[in-house]
Amino acid sequence: MLIKARRNIRYHYNEPDLFIYGSNEIIKLKLSISEYDEITSLISKAYQGSEETALFEEFNRYTKLIQFLIEKHVFYLIDPKVYDLHKNSLYLPWVEEQCLSVEKGLRDIEKICVNIPSSYFGAIYLSELLAENHIQHEIVEVENIEVLADGKIAAYYYIGKKEDRIWVSTRNHPDFEAVSAEDISEKLLAGFLYYGAIISIIGKEAPVFNINSLMEVERKLAFDGIKKVDYQISGRTPQDAIKNYNSLETFVKKYDSKIVSFNKNKAYFTYNQSPLQIITVQTEDDENYFFADISYERLAQFLSEAAFIEILKNSYSKDLLLKQQGKVIYSTQHHKTGKLYRLDLNELDESELISSLMNQEKLSTNFYLQACSRGGYYLYAVNDKSEAFIFQLPVKTAAQLTTVLLTWISMHMNDVSIKESFFQTIDLNELHLKEVSSVNWEISNQENLVIGQQTTVGKILSDHGFEYELLEEVE
């Protein structure tokens, strides 16, 4: 067997400590300068690939260290015949980075076959690149590029143009336009497709690329919709609203989902964000969702505990749950129940701010509440023109209600349309205002025994520090 060092490991020496950055952890060794010189010689030999017995004999002082580095996946063992077959390929460093078992990864690559559409303008160039790296392929009558593993489809790749970007994606976006050689070079596309074909087989997720007019590349990971999956939950108690919101941002930036961005709508930098701060969310259906609050932490918490899960439902047509230690925090299945109650703004902590901003914007609005079947209340707004609106998400806490009221004000401050929020115009006659009675503000926390199934998006968010469990609701 050969002993080989992974190309993606890094190390540096700060006397007397040598730090080796492995696949999953940092290894710290205390070494003299002479020992450091010997260890760097050992690593250099292993970079080139060294016969196992010969390396142990040459560095017999470091037998236990070599074994330790193999256990920690800094070095790996590989059949010399397999290594010789793949050592000059472009993909070997990718396999060393992606796979704990490099030999298995290389053997998996041997089973790849790429079907290239005969109609694709870059078919010949892609075929030549695959041939140079000994990847099986065919130019055939198929609609899109197919990546097969052991004869079974592992991934599709679609090439499309959307606004000013070229996409190399595992999803066929609904508004993709055709791409030609005038838009992008076949050589550049071949590199993305070759990399995608390899990583879609040996990696956890296939890569997705979009390239702007300046040839700047954004890389994401494929997200194949909300699916059921089992994983171990951490049982963390939510404490950090900003951390949870950052988890949502990480998901959107890292994965090619139908939620494409935060704060990237064209009008974002023209908004008046004093004193109310604004977060917007964009989807691939060109929807823009608008939220505002004077407290960024409270605003982030509203996104994490309510708004984002509703946007997921709208994008993927699945009913979802948010739980924390078994308790339902939010459900996308909710229905109105009971009569209306007049909302007394004076009962809210931010009542002075809300009233002041409404006076400033000359907003004459009355607000009403109606209980939700699963806890919390729906908020209604009726203006001085007798126009009525409902916020379609039930608010579960006084903090959430404050965010929604400040969102209503900020929308008017910035001339944001009703369709860019979860507010919806309704018929005033639906409200039966004659039945309204005035009550103090009190949030309902109705408990429900609701069953949910763990999801792919829930696992991704959990892996990135999200302190709630996001589930698909099971009827």
Side-chain angles (χ1 to χ4, degrees):
M1 298 291 280
L2 286 180
I3 294 179
K4 175 78 171 63
R6 295 176 188 266
R7 285 287 174 180
N8 62 313
I9 67 165
R10 298 291 181 266
Y11 60 89
H12 81 268
Y13 184 60
N14 184 12
E15 188 178 0
D17 298 319
L18 173 65
F19 297 90
I20 301 175
Y21 299 85
S23 300
N24 300 310
E25 60 186 301
I26 300 173
I27 299 166
K28 179 180 176 182
L29 305 172
K30 287 195 176 295
L31 304 172
S32 66
I33 293 178
S34 61
E35 288 172 327
Y36 167 69
D37 290 338
E38 290 180 301
I39 297 301
T40 54
S41 177
L42 165 63
I43 293 174
S44 296
K45 290 265 185 173
Y47 268 141
Q48 304 304 316
S50 180
E51 198 278 323
E52 183 179 5
T53 303
L55 193 69
F56 275 115
E57 287 179 354
E58 183 175 353
F59 297 93
N60 53 58
R61 280 188 60 201
Y62 301 106
T63 298
K64 289 186 177 180
L65 175 61
I66 295 171
Q67 292 171 337
F68 176 74
L69 294 177
I70 293 172
E71 291 172 5
K72 294 298 183 182
H73 304 289
V74 176
F75 294 170
Y76 62 90
L77 295 169
I78 187 168
D79 185 318
K81 292 181 180 179
V82 175
Y83 179 68
D84 286 342
L85 184 63
H86 298 276
K87 64 182 180 182
N88 295 320
S89 66
L90 293 175
Y91 54 72
L92 178 58
W94 307 340
V95 180
E96 290 181 341
E97 182 178 359
Q98 295 279 336
C99 302
L100 286 181
S101 174
V102 174
E103 184 168 327
K104 181 184 181 301
L106 294 173
R107 291 191 184 280
D108 287 342
I109 288 173
E110 293 172 8
K111 301 172 186 176
I112 293 176
C113 181
V114 180
N115 289 336
I116 307 170
S118 57
S119 58
Y120 169 46
F121 68 89
I124 299 301
Y125 201 100
L126 177 58
S127 173
E128 291 173 350
L129 178 60
L130 294 172
E132 288 172 10
N133 287 275
H134 309 291
I135 302 297
Q136 299 177 64
H137 63 280
E138 292 183 286
I139 299 178
V140 291
E141 297 297 321
V142 293
E143 290 189 10
N144 301 288
I145 291 164
E146 301 173 345
V147 182
L148 291 81
D150 250 350
K152 298 179 181 179
I153 297 287
Y156 292 97
Y157 270 97
Y158 303 86
I159 303 169
K161 182 165 57 175
K162 188 175 178 180
E163 296 179 349
D164 64 340
R165 291 181 175 271
I166 307 296
W167 285 79
V168 179
S169 177
T170 55
R171 291 192 301 120
N172 191 7
H173 291 229
D175 49 357
F176 269 173
E177 299 175 7
V179 174
S180 70
E182 295 179 358
D183 297 308
I184 191 170
S185 79
E186 55 191 345
K187 180 178 180 180
L188 187 61
L189 279 179
F192 293 130
L193 292 166
Y194 168 63
Y195 180 79
I198 298 297
I199 302 301
S200 66
I201 300 301
I202 65 169
K204 292 181 179 179
E205 295 101 356
V208 171
F209 305 94
N210 65 78
I211 307 104
N212 67 15
S213 57
L214 300 176
M215 293 297 108
E216 296 170 329
V217 179
E218 179 183 42
R219 174 183 166 182
K220 291 190 173 186
L221 296 175
F223 180 73
D224 193 24
I226 299 175
K227 297 183 177 179
K228 296 176 181 178
V229 67
D230 293 323
Y231 63 94
Q232 189 68 37
I233 61 174
S234 67
R236 292 174 293 227
T237 300
Q239 296 178 346
D240 191 336
I242 302 300
K243 178 182 176 182
N244 287 317
Y245 172 72
N246 288 343
S247 301
L248 303 180
E249 279 199 320
T250 299
F251 167 72
V252 170
K253 289 177 181 177
K254 192 172 181 179
Y255 286 86
D256 179 35
S257 75
K258 293 181 181 181
I259 302 177
V260 298
S261 58
F262 284 89
N263 303 330
K264 287 192 176 180
N265 56 309
K266 293 180 180 178
Y268 185 78
F269 290 104
T270 67
Y271 292 147
N272 176 3
Q273 298 208 42
S274 177
L276 301 181
Q277 301 177 79
I278 295 166
I279 291 177
T280 61
V281 185
Q282 294 73 49
T283 72
E284 73 173 18
D285 296 325
D286 294 325
E287 295 288 345
N288 182 61
Y289 295 89
F290 179 101
F291 310 96
D293 202 317
I294 195 167
S295 164
Y296 194 80
E297 183 175 0
R298 188 168 56 208
L299 180 58
Q301 186 163 353
F302 181 73
L303 265 291
S304 300
E305 290 190 348
F308 190 80
I309 186 174
E310 284 281 356
I311 297 170
L312 279 174
K313 176 191 175 175
N314 290 351
S315 297
Y316 289 96
S317 301
K318 289 182 181 288
D319 275 307
L320 303 169
L321 288 172
L322 206 63
K323 281 190 171 184
Q324 182 257 313
Q325 296 181 339
K327 180 181 177 182
V328 175
I329 301 298
Y330 191 88
S331 167
T332 59
Q333 280 200 26
H334 40 75
H335 310 283
K336 296 183 282 293
T337 183
K339 61 183 180 179
L340 291 180
Y341 298 94
R342 190 185 305 277
L343 173 61
D344 183 356
L345 294 179
N346 292 324
E347 298 296 325
L348 300 177
D349 291 341
E350 299 280 12
S351 60
E352 289 188 14
L353 171 69
I354 294 169
S355 298
S356 173
L357 289 174
M358 288 181 64
N359 290 333
Q360 175 186 306
E361 296 302 313
K362 297 180 172 59
L363 293 177
S364 179
T365 310
N366 291 316
F367 297 102
Y368 305 89
L369 301 172
Q370 185 177 23
C372 172
S373 59
R374 287 193 169 174
Y377 292 101
Y378 294 93
L379 175 72
Y380 294 86
V382 179
N383 65 20
D384 54 0
K385 298 177 183 177
S386 295
E387 296 171 327
F389 309 88
I390 181 176
F391 191 73
Q392 299 170 80
L393 282 60
V395 291
K396 300 293 189 79
T397 66
Q400 290 182 2
L401 177 64
T402 299
T403 297
V404 175
L405 291 169
L406 291 173
T407 294
W408 171 261
I409 295 169
S410 184
M411 288 170 57
H412 287 82
M413 291 173 67
N414 290 286
D415 294 322
V416 173
S417 67
I418 289 295
K419 71 176 184 178
E420 290 189 57
S421 74
F422 280 102
F423 280 100
Q424 182 183 46
T425 303
I426 59 172
D427 186 344
L428 181 63
N429 294 323
E430 292 181 24
L431 299 188
H432 306 294
L433 293 183
K434 292 180 181 179
E435 301 176 15
V436 170
S437 59
S438 181
V439 297
N440 291 331
W441 166 252
E442 183 179 341
I443 278 290
S444 162
N445 278 316
Q446 179 181 338
E447 299 260 347
N448 293 276
L449 295 175
V450 186
I451 300 173
Q453 168 66 50
Q454 291 181 320
T455 62
T456 46
V457 65
K459 183 179 186 307
I460 292 168
L461 290 173
S462 178
D463 289 344
H464 289 88
F466 196 60
E467 296 174 320
Y468 303 93
E469 190 177 14
L470 199 159
L471 309 166
E472 181 178 352
E473 186 159 341
V474 177
E475 295 184 2

